[in-house]
Amino acid sequence: MKYVSRIAVGPVQFRIGSEWREPVAALDRLYAAYPRDDARPADATVRLFAARPWRRWLRPSVHIGGDFVVPDALPLPLSMGLLAAEMAMNLQVALGWRRHLLLHASAVARDGRALIMSGQSGSGKSTLAALLGEGAWRLMGDEFTLIDLAGGDALAFPRAVSLKNQAIAEVAARVDPARLGPLMTGTPKGDIRHLIPRADAIAAMHQPVRPALLLFPRFGGETAIEPMGEGEAFVRLTEASTNYVALGEAGFAALTRLVREVPAFGISYPDSAAGIALAEQLWAEATQ
Amino acid sequence: MSAADIFVDLLAGRREAATLAPRDWDGVIGVARAEAMLATLAHRLEDAALPPPVAALFADQRAAAKVATAQALWEAEMARRALAPEGIEFVLLKGAAYAAAGLSCSVGRQIGDLDILVLALDIRRAENALLNAGWEWVRSDPYDDHYYRAHMHELPPMIHKARDRMIDVHHTILPRTHRITPDALALVSDAVAVDGGHAVLCPADMTVHCAAHMLADGDLQGGLRNLWDFHCLTRDFAAADTGFWDRLDARADLHGLRAALRRAARLARDLYGSVLPSGWNGQDSGDRWYRRRLLARDDWGRVTHPLLEQAFYIRSHWLRMPPMMLAKHLWTKWRKRK
Amino acid sequence: MTDRAYRAAPRGALRIEPLGELTAIFDRRSMQTHLVVAPLPEMLALMGDGPCDAALLAKRLETAFDLDDVEDVRARVAERLAELAAMGLVAAA
């Protein structure tokens, strides 16, 4: 591949190859402050490529590949190359990672303990984590949280936060503009802008923390808290995990332990301020 | 030296893992993944001196392969539970057979669909028994259905509706349209029993089928893995039975597959260092093309042969499992709006 | 229809973890997780090592849980046994 970069996010070393300069340059800018070890062999390989040679230049469209390829994935225009790179990195981790139980969940940490938030896109888990991560919390990740199979600790995957639509303005108002990536409008996921996590979140990304609270947020509607039983939390987290089945009994044991040890709640909230207040309130109760 | 060459050398034991530069591993791992052999390599190098990140990745792969092998064997067990009460005998083929028989090539080997062989006269009853036990047709296109039944050596693929895993029910080991027609009755009647109540092809038939599957049935896709199977099978069977190579020749003649067998043997010798008996050690100018096709990957795992360039598709059932669908969902959901 | 007899999974094959109102069962042979509710865990616990049909299991459930209307229990146990067999947790004896 013509342009290559190596990026480490949490425990995952990526090798990213691209036929265009732009996506790699944009990634290098977002991940400039991350620790780098160019000699370390990669855990996951990402490729951004043109389906036909001439499509490198003529209406260039970026196909996503690497260790794993999803056959029917549509390409993105080169102007959204950074989004293509982000999606490709997610895909390789989602399909390839086997060292930890991988949850499609955001997480933040305080006092050596973790708040884990799991939900579909649109649940606000990413925005809540980003906003909490600008306050007294350490951002662990907005998309994936890793659970250590033997010990049960949570590990961070603090990739650049993918802010979407309204969340962009909400977060941009509170952070140094130098921490924001380029605004990509009209992508298949709406408007997207990346946020570079705070330096303390990157510096602490290898520090495991004990899970203390599980939230299943739902954006919209009246403020509400529903305690969730172990069984339901278990079911929801198997659905939120991309590698639960592949891990066999180790995954079963880790997940059983997580839902038994950590209180879980479904929460509904009308806006971010209410969501944060709920999270803080439940955190105080869970960790007192 | 290409990453594919290094990969093959590592498997063959021609090269020490410790001699690789840290950056060589990306290419080797890329090729191994593309050939669905990363866990095989991880097992082969279990005791080798490796950079810590590679050692950790390989440990992950070995653990995951153990789970995957158990899942594949469970499909065989569920097929047995569906077919045995109806009195339908079947023989496990390929990956599931290697695992059920505990053969060395099965360690870390990826197993895709469950392949079983039944006698042609039992095929209708097998179909019914499987449909009653929760399998269903993958496609309902009457043309496809007709095509399979008329021309192929198997039923149209079926998938289990709860477990989301495919089964291919064969009644011989090459398509009916193929100019070679192996003796299916001999395959089934000479099958041998293994643990778990299963049957697998006898050693010579298993080896002939491995060669046929690689060279006579298909386009060499997954060829390095099939060739590794062949290398391990012949090595282990020959070690246990001094008459194995002669038996193998005779059996290949019975099925009309001697040319494929001999070519597989030469390729296994050239790539993995298989030790062949005298008389098998010739050269064939056509082998060069096969070797090139087998090793045509760059250090990003891409097929480099211009005529065969294609994306690496995960055809296996993994993509159809719920976690995979979730992963796809992470970034392809929007396509539905199209 | 006569009852089919089934056999429980061999000892050690299943890892059974109660999670509140649900019970998670990990099958070490299939690597599958099954989430079940009462009375399936109770049925599995009472199957014993030998062949067991719905009538026998219904009787054991009746004794263990003080149930009445055994005939109704037997019919429902037969259905649940077929479900357990489809999951692979029990096999035809």
Side-chain angles (χ1 to χ4, degrees), chain A residues 246-286:
Chain A
L247 294 174
E249 189 171 357
F252 178 82
L255 198 53
T256 311
R257 172 185 195 157
L258 182 68
V259 300
R260 281 193 179 144
E261 291 183 355
V262 180
F265 299 89
I267 59 169
S268 303
Y269 60 101
D271 53 54
S272 298
I276 286 172
L278 282 180
E280 296 276 8
Q281 176 200 331
L282 290 167
W283 178 262
E285 290 168 12

mmCIF file of all heavy atoms in Angstrom, chain A residues 246-286:
data_model
loop_
_atom_site.group_PDB
_atom_site.id
_atom_site.type_symbol
_atom_site.label_atom_id
_atom_site.label_comp_id
_atom_site.label_asym_id
_atom_site.label_seq_id
_atom_site.Cartn_x
_atom_site.Cartn_y
_atom_site.Cartn_z
ATOM 1 N N ALA A 246 -17.351 -16.355 20.087
ATOM 2 C CA ALA A 246 -16.039 -16.896 19.719
ATOM 3 C C ALA A 246 -15.172 -17.189 20.945
ATOM 4 O O ALA A 246 -14.201 -17.927 20.844
ATOM 5 C CB ALA A 246 -15.326 -15.927 18.787
ATOM 6 N N LEU A 247 -15.499 -16.594 22.090
ATOM 7 C CA LEU A 247 -14.651 -16.763 23.264
ATOM 8 C C LEU A 247 -15.006 -17.998 24.088
ATOM 9 O O LEU A 247 -14.279 -18.363 25.010
ATOM 10 C CB LEU A 247 -14.721 -15.517 24.152
ATOM 11 C CG LEU A 247 -14.128 -14.255 23.516
ATOM 12 C CD1 LEU A 247 -14.371 -13.044 24.405
ATOM 13 C CD2 LEU A 247 -12.649 -14.422 23.243
ATOM 14 N N GLY A 248 -16.133 -18.609 23.782
ATOM 15 C CA GLY A 248 -16.487 -19.829 24.487
ATOM 16 C C GLY A 248 -16.725 -19.600 25.972
ATOM 17 O O GLY A 248 -17.290 -18.573 26.376
ATOM 18 N N GLU A 249 -16.279 -20.545 26.786
ATOM 19 C CA GLU A 249 -16.579 -20.478 28.215
ATOM 20 C C GLU A 249 -15.928 -19.275 28.886
ATOM 21 O O GLU A 249 -16.468 -18.733 29.857
ATOM 22 C CB GLU A 249 -16.144 -21.774 28.908
ATOM 23 C CG GLU A 249 -16.637 -21.843 30.346
ATOM 24 C CD GLU A 249 -16.409 -23.211 30.985
ATOM 25 O OE1 GLU A 249 -15.919 -24.114 30.286
ATOM 26 O OE2 GLU A 249 -16.730 -23.357 32.176
ATOM 27 N N ALA A 250 -14.786 -18.839 28.375
ATOM 28 C CA ALA A 250 -14.129 -17.673 28.985
ATOM 29 C C ALA A 250 -15.025 -16.438 28.879
ATOM 30 O O ALA A 250 -15.120 -15.641 29.818
ATOM 31 C CB ALA A 250 -12.785 -17.420 28.297
ATOM 32 N N GLY A 251 -15.696 -16.285 27.753
ATOM 33 C CA GLY A 251 -16.615 -15.158 27.580
ATOM 34 C C GLY A 251 -17.826 -15.294 28.488
ATOM 35 O O GLY A 251 -18.281 -14.325 29.099
ATOM 36 N N PHE A 252 -18.331 -16.508 28.583
ATOM 37 C CA PHE A 252 -19.483 -16.780 29.451
ATOM 38 C C PHE A 252 -19.146 -16.436 30.899
ATOM 39 O O PHE A 252 -19.911 -15.765 31.598
ATOM 40 C CB PHE A 252 -19.870 -18.253 29.322
ATOM 41 C CG PHE A 252 -21.005 -18.682 30.203
ATOM 42 C CD1 PHE A 252 -22.318 -18.456 29.827
ATOM 43 C CD2 PHE A 252 -20.767 -19.335 31.408
ATOM 44 C CE1 PHE A 252 -23.377 -18.861 30.633
ATOM 45 C CE2 PHE A 252 -21.815 -19.746 32.224
ATOM 46 C CZ PHE A 252 -23.128 -19.505 31.835
ATOM 47 N N ALA A 253 -17.975 -16.879 31.330
ATOM 48 C CA ALA A 253 -17.576 -16.639 32.719
ATOM 49 C C ALA A 253 -17.404 -15.143 32.975
ATOM 50 O O ALA A 253 -17.844 -14.623 34.010
ATOM 51 C CB ALA A 253 -16.273 -17.385 33.013
ATOM 52 N N ALA A 254 -16.778 -14.443 32.031
ATOM 53 C CA ALA A 254 -16.525 -13.011 32.226
ATOM 54 C C ALA A 254 -17.836 -12.232 32.276
ATOM 55 O O ALA A 254 -18.011 -11.313 33.085
ATOM 56 C CB ALA A 254 -15.629 -12.482 31.105
ATOM 57 N N LEU A 255 -18.762 -12.613 31.417
ATOM 58 C CA LEU A 255 -20.014 -11.868 31.361
ATOM 59 C C LEU A 255 -20.897 -12.175 32.573
ATOM 60 O O LEU A 255 -21.546 -11.283 33.134
ATOM 61 C CB LEU A 255 -20.743 -12.203 30.053
ATOM 62 C CG LEU A 255 -21.820 -11.215 29.638
ATOM 63 C CD1 LEU A 255 -21.276 -9.798 29.598
ATOM 64 C CD2 LEU A 255 -22.392 -11.586 28.289
ATOM 65 N N THR A 256 -20.919 -13.438 32.976
ATOM 66 C CA THR A 256 -21.687 -13.815 34.164
ATOM 67 C C THR A 256 -21.192 -13.020 35.368
ATOM 68 O O THR A 256 -21.969 -12.457 36.140
ATOM 69 C CB THR A 256 -21.504 -15.322 34.445
ATOM 70 O OG1 THR A 256 -21.727 -16.022 33.237
ATOM 71 C CG2 THR A 256 -22.458 -15.816 35.475
ATOM 72 N N ARG A 257 -19.893 -12.979 35.490
ATOM 73 C CA ARG A 257 -19.288 -12.261 36.616
ATOM 74 C C ARG A 257 -19.628 -10.769 36.563
ATOM 75 O O ARG A 257 -19.978 -10.159 37.583
ATOM 76 C CB ARG A 257 -17.784 -12.467 36.523
ATOM 77 C CG ARG A 257 -16.990 -11.657 37.484
ATOM 78 C CD ARG A 257 -15.526 -11.890 37.169
ATOM 79 N NE ARG A 257 -14.694 -11.440 38.242
ATOM 80 C CZ ARG A 257 -13.462 -11.898 38.438
ATOM 81 N NH1 ARG A 257 -12.965 -12.827 37.648
ATOM 82 N NH2 ARG A 257 -12.748 -11.426 39.417
ATOM 83 N N LEU A 258 -19.533 -10.196 35.367
ATOM 84 C CA LEU A 258 -19.798 -8.755 35.225
ATOM 85 C C LEU A 258 -21.213 -8.413 35.680
ATOM 86 O O LEU A 258 -21.417 -7.483 36.466
ATOM 87 C CB LEU A 258 -19.577 -8.346 33.761
ATOM 88 C CG LEU A 258 -19.773 -6.863 33.436
ATOM 89 C CD1 LEU A 258 -18.685 -6.011 34.096
ATOM 90 C CD2 LEU A 258 -19.770 -6.620 31.931
ATOM 91 N N VAL A 259 -22.220 -9.168 35.189
ATOM 92 C CA VAL A 259 -23.591 -8.793 35.532
ATOM 93 C C VAL A 259 -23.918 -9.117 36.991
ATOM 94 O O VAL A 259 -24.835 -8.524 37.560
ATOM 95 C CB VAL A 259 -24.635 -9.445 34.587
ATOM 96 C CG1 VAL A 259 -24.382 -9.012 33.151
ATOM 97 C CG2 VAL A 259 -24.649 -10.953 34.699
ATOM 98 N N ARG A 260 -23.176 -10.025 37.585
ATOM 99 C CA ARG A 260 -23.418 -10.318 39.003
ATOM 100 C C ARG A 260 -22.785 -9.277 39.910
ATOM 101 O O ARG A 260 -23.322 -8.936 40.954
ATOM 102 C CB ARG A 260 -22.853 -11.689 39.358
ATOM 103 C CG ARG A 260 -23.763 -12.802 38.926
ATOM 104 C CD ARG A 260 -23.318 -14.083 39.568
ATOM 105 N NE ARG A 260 -24.204 -15.162 39.178
ATOM 106 C CZ ARG A 260 -23.802 -16.399 38.967
ATOM 107 N NH1 ARG A 260 -22.536 -16.717 39.135
ATOM 108 N NH2 ARG A 260 -24.660 -17.322 38.619
ATOM 109 N N GLU A 261 -21.625 -8.803 39.518
ATOM 110 C CA GLU A 261 -20.879 -7.897 40.406
ATOM 111 C C GLU A 261 -21.271 -6.442 40.234
ATOM 112 O O GLU A 261 -21.020 -5.626 41.118
ATOM 113 C CB GLU A 261 -19.366 -8.057 40.159
ATOM 114 C CG GLU A 261 -18.828 -9.396 40.629
ATOM 115 C CD GLU A 261 -17.319 -9.527 40.450
ATOM 116 O OE1 GLU A 261 -16.689 -8.613 39.879
ATOM 117 O OE2 GLU A 261 -16.784 -10.561 40.892
ATOM 118 N N VAL A 262 -21.839 -6.107 39.080
ATOM 119 C CA VAL A 262 -22.040 -4.692 38.773
ATOM 120 C C VAL A 262 -23.532 -4.390 38.645
ATOM 121 O O VAL A 262 -24.224 -5.037 37.860
ATOM 122 C CB VAL A 262 -21.309 -4.347 37.453
ATOM 123 C CG1 VAL A 262 -21.488 -2.884 37.112
ATOM 124 C CG2 VAL A 262 -19.833 -4.694 37.570
ATOM 125 N N PRO A 263 -24.027 -3.403 39.397
ATOM 126 C CA PRO A 263 -25.438 -3.045 39.255
ATOM 127 C C PRO A 263 -25.716 -2.447 37.875
ATOM 128 O O PRO A 263 -24.876 -1.737 37.323
ATOM 129 C CB PRO A 263 -25.651 -1.995 40.362
ATOM 130 C CG PRO A 263 -24.290 -1.493 40.699
ATOM 131 C CD PRO A 263 -23.329 -2.605 40.402
ATOM 132 N N ALA A 264 -26.902 -2.765 37.327
ATOM 133 C CA ALA A 264 -27.241 -2.310 35.977
ATOM 134 C C ALA A 264 -28.584 -1.587 35.981
ATOM 135 O O ALA A 264 -29.502 -1.962 36.718
ATOM 136 C CB ALA A 264 -27.297 -3.514 35.033
ATOM 137 N N PHE A 265 -28.670 -0.548 35.166
ATOM 138 C CA PHE A 265 -29.904 0.227 35.058
ATOM 139 C C PHE A 265 -30.149 0.616 33.605
ATOM 140 O O PHE A 265 -29.210 0.922 32.875
ATOM 141 C CB PHE A 265 -29.806 1.523 35.871
ATOM 142 C CG PHE A 265 -29.585 1.306 37.337
ATOM 143 C CD1 PHE A 265 -28.293 1.196 37.847
ATOM 144 C CD2 PHE A 265 -30.664 1.195 38.204
ATOM 145 C CE1 PHE A 265 -28.074 0.981 39.197
ATOM 146 C CE2 PHE A 265 -30.450 0.975 39.560
ATOM 147 C CZ PHE A 265 -29.162 0.868 40.068
ATOM 148 N N GLY A 266 -31.416 0.618 33.218
ATOM 149 C CA GLY A 266 -31.801 1.295 31.990
ATOM 150 C C GLY A 266 -32.148 2.725 32.358
ATOM 151 O O GLY A 266 -32.801 2.946 33.383
ATOM 152 N N ILE A 267 -31.693 3.682 31.568
ATOM 153 C CA ILE A 267 -32.079 5.069 31.860
ATOM 154 C C ILE A 267 -32.627 5.723 30.596
ATOM 155 O O ILE A 267 -32.174 5.443 29.489
ATOM 156 C CB ILE A 267 -30.896 5.919 32.409
ATOM 157 C CG1 ILE A 267 -29.720 5.963 31.430
ATOM 158 C CG2 ILE A 267 -30.439 5.410 33.757
ATOM 159 C CD1 ILE A 267 -28.655 7.005 31.804
ATOM 160 N N SER A 268 -33.624 6.565 30.766
ATOM 161 C CA SER A 268 -34.119 7.407 29.679
ATOM 162 C C SER A 268 -33.862 8.844 30.086
ATOM 163 O O SER A 268 -33.944 9.178 31.276
ATOM 164 C CB SER A 268 -35.619 7.222 29.476
ATOM 165 O OG SER A 268 -35.897 5.873 29.228
ATOM 166 N N TYR A 269 -33.549 9.686 29.104
ATOM 167 C CA TYR A 269 -33.257 11.085 29.439
ATOM 168 C C TYR A 269 -33.561 11.965 28.247
ATOM 169 O O TYR A 269 -33.346 11.575 27.102
ATOM 170 C CB TYR A 269 -31.799 11.228 29.885
ATOM 171 C CG TYR A 269 -30.793 10.809 28.835
ATOM 172 C CD1 TYR A 269 -30.131 11.769 28.068
ATOM 173 C CD2 TYR A 269 -30.507 9.464 28.612
ATOM 174 C CE1 TYR A 269 -29.216 11.394 27.101
ATOM 175 C CE2 TYR A 269 -29.605 9.080 27.641
ATOM 176 C CZ TYR A 269 -28.953 10.043 26.887
ATOM 177 O OH TYR A 269 -28.065 9.671 25.923
ATOM 178 N N PRO A 270 -34.074 13.155 28.508
ATOM 179 C CA PRO A 270 -34.483 14.041 27.416
ATOM 180 C C PRO A 270 -33.328 14.839 26.807
ATOM 181 O O PRO A 270 -33.408 15.249 25.653
ATOM 182 C CB PRO A 270 -35.496 14.980 28.075
ATOM 183 C CG PRO A 270 -35.102 15.016 29.508
ATOM 184 C CD PRO A 270 -34.480 13.686 29.824
ATOM 185 N N ASP A 271 -32.271 15.089 27.574
ATOM 186 C CA ASP A 271 -31.143 15.856 27.040
ATOM 187 C C ASP A 271 -29.872 15.458 27.785
ATOM 188 O O ASP A 271 -29.927 14.765 28.808
ATOM 189 C CB ASP A 271 -31.391 17.368 27.167
ATOM 190 C CG ASP A 271 -31.754 17.753 28.586
ATOM 191 O OD1 ASP A 271 -30.978 17.404 29.507
ATOM 192 O OD2 ASP A 271 -32.826 18.373 28.792
ATOM 193 N N SER A 272 -28.735 15.906 27.278
ATOM 194 C CA SER A 272 -27.460 15.461 27.830
ATOM 195 C C SER A 272 -27.310 15.822 29.303
ATOM 196 O O SER A 272 -26.799 15.020 30.096
ATOM 197 C CB SER A 272 -26.296 16.069 27.053
ATOM 198 O OG SER A 272 -26.337 15.641 25.724
ATOM 199 N N ALA A 273 -27.771 17.037 29.674
ATOM 200 C CA ALA A 273 -27.612 17.449 31.069
ATOM 201 C C ALA A 273 -28.337 16.478 31.994
ATOM 202 O O ALA A 273 -27.806 16.055 33.033
ATOM 203 C CB ALA A 273 -28.156 18.872 31.253
ATOM 204 N N ALA A 274 -29.550 16.076 31.582
ATOM 205 C CA ALA A 274 -30.315 15.126 32.398
ATOM 206 C C ALA A 274 -29.617 13.766 32.432
ATOM 207 O O ALA A 274 -29.570 13.098 33.476
ATOM 208 C CB ALA A 274 -31.730 14.982 31.839
ATOM 209 N N GLY A 275 -29.060 13.355 31.304
ATOM 210 C CA GLY A 275 -28.358 12.073 31.240
ATOM 211 C C GLY A 275 -27.159 12.059 32.164
ATOM 212 O O GLY A 275 -26.918 11.079 32.886
ATOM 213 N N ILE A 276 -26.420 13.157 32.150
ATOM 214 C CA ILE A 276 -25.240 13.242 33.014
ATOM 215 C C ILE A 276 -25.647 13.227 34.488
ATOM 216 O O ILE A 276 -25.023 12.551 35.316
ATOM 217 C CB ILE A 276 -24.424 14.496 32.653
ATOM 218 C CG1 ILE A 276 -23.699 14.233 31.320
ATOM 219 C CG2 ILE A 276 -23.436 14.861 33.747
ATOM 220 C CD1 ILE A 276 -23.006 15.423 30.739
ATOM 221 N N ALA A 277 -26.714 13.955 34.800
ATOM 222 C CA ALA A 277 -27.178 13.988 36.187
ATOM 223 C C ALA A 277 -27.572 12.583 36.657
ATOM 224 O O ALA A 277 -27.237 12.165 37.776
ATOM 225 C CB ALA A 277 -28.362 14.955 36.316
ATOM 226 N N LEU A 278 -28.266 11.836 35.778
ATOM 227 C CA LEU A 278 -28.643 10.463 36.132
ATOM 228 C C LEU A 278 -27.407 9.598 36.371
ATOM 229 O O LEU A 278 -27.339 8.827 37.335
ATOM 230 C CB LEU A 278 -29.470 9.835 35.009
ATOM 231 C CG LEU A 278 -30.940 10.229 34.902
ATOM 232 C CD1 LEU A 278 -31.583 9.501 33.721
ATOM 233 C CD2 LEU A 278 -31.679 9.873 36.190
ATOM 234 N N ALA A 279 -26.443 9.728 35.455
ATOM 235 C CA ALA A 279 -25.232 8.914 35.574
ATOM 236 C C ALA A 279 -24.517 9.232 36.886
ATOM 237 O O ALA A 279 -24.086 8.325 37.611
ATOM 238 C CB ALA A 279 -24.312 9.155 34.378
ATOM 239 N N GLU A 280 -24.405 10.510 37.211
ATOM 240 C CA GLU A 280 -23.718 10.920 38.445
ATOM 241 C C GLU A 280 -24.467 10.403 39.671
ATOM 242 O O GLU A 280 -23.859 9.924 40.631
ATOM 243 C CB GLU A 280 -23.600 12.451 38.520
ATOM 244 C CG GLU A 280 -22.729 13.068 37.427
ATOM 245 C CD GLU A 280 -21.229 13.046 37.756
ATOM 246 O OE1 GLU A 280 -20.855 12.412 38.769
ATOM 247 O OE2 GLU A 280 -20.450 13.633 36.973
ATOM 248 N N GLN A 281 -25.781 10.493 39.617
ATOM 249 C CA GLN A 281 -26.594 10.053 40.759
ATOM 250 C C GLN A 281 -26.439 8.541 40.989
ATOM 251 O O GLN A 281 -26.176 8.091 42.111
ATOM 252 C CB GLN A 281 -28.071 10.394 40.470
ATOM 253 C CG GLN A 281 -29.040 9.907 41.538
ATOM 254 C CD GLN A 281 -30.474 9.825 40.995
ATOM 255 O OE1 GLN A 281 -30.847 10.589 40.084
ATOM 256 N NE2 GLN A 281 -31.267 8.919 41.554
ATOM 257 N N LEU A 282 -26.573 7.763 39.896
ATOM 258 C CA LEU A 282 -26.466 6.309 40.036
ATOM 259 C C LEU A 282 -25.047 5.903 40.420
ATOM 260 O O LEU A 282 -24.833 4.935 41.156
ATOM 261 C CB LEU A 282 -26.904 5.623 38.735
ATOM 262 C CG LEU A 282 -28.413 5.735 38.472
ATOM 263 C CD1 LEU A 282 -28.756 5.327 37.042
ATOM 264 C CD2 LEU A 282 -29.200 4.877 39.466
ATOM 265 N N TRP A 283 -24.081 6.651 39.917
ATOM 266 C CA TRP A 283 -22.683 6.374 40.271
ATOM 267 C C TRP A 283 -22.466 6.578 41.765
ATOM 268 O O TRP A 283 -21.855 5.743 42.445
ATOM 269 C CB TRP A 283 -21.752 7.282 39.470
ATOM 270 C CG TRP A 283 -20.303 7.102 39.793
ATOM 271 C CD1 TRP A 283 -19.553 7.880 40.645
ATOM 272 C CD2 TRP A 283 -19.426 6.094 39.302
ATOM 273 N NE1 TRP A 283 -18.264 7.412 40.702
ATOM 274 C CE2 TRP A 283 -18.154 6.303 39.881
ATOM 275 C CE3 TRP A 283 -19.589 5.020 38.421
ATOM 276 C CZ2 TRP A 283 -17.058 5.499 39.611
ATOM 277 C CZ3 TRP A 283 -18.496 4.217 38.154
ATOM 278 C CH2 TRP A 283 -17.245 4.453 38.752
ATOM 279 N N ALA A 284 -22.998 7.680 42.279
ATOM 280 C CA ALA A 284 -22.835 7.971 43.704
ATOM 281 C C ALA A 284 -23.444 6.850 44.537
ATOM 282 O O ALA A 284 -22.858 6.387 45.524
ATOM 283 C CB ALA A 284 -23.480 9.319 44.042
ATOM 284 N N GLU A 285 -24.632 6.349 44.098
ATOM 285 C CA GLU A 285 -25.280 5.270 44.851
ATOM 286 C C GLU A 285 -24.489 3.965 44.750
ATOM 287 O O GLU A 285 -24.379 3.213 45.715
ATOM 288 C CB GLU A 285 -26.706 5.048 44.337
ATOM 289 C CG GLU A 285 -27.651 6.194 44.700
ATOM 290 C CD GLU A 285 -28.976 6.123 43.944
ATOM 291 O OE1 GLU A 285 -29.252 5.076 43.322
ATOM 292 O OE2 GLU A 285 -29.715 7.124 43.975
ATOM 293 N N ALA A 286 -23.945 3.713 43.551
ATOM 294 C CA ALA A 286 -23.259 2.432 43.342
ATOM 295 C C ALA A 286 -21.902 2.387 44.023
ATOM 296 O O ALA A 286 -21.403 1.312 44.349
ATOM 297 C CB ALA A 286 -23.088 2.174 41.843
#
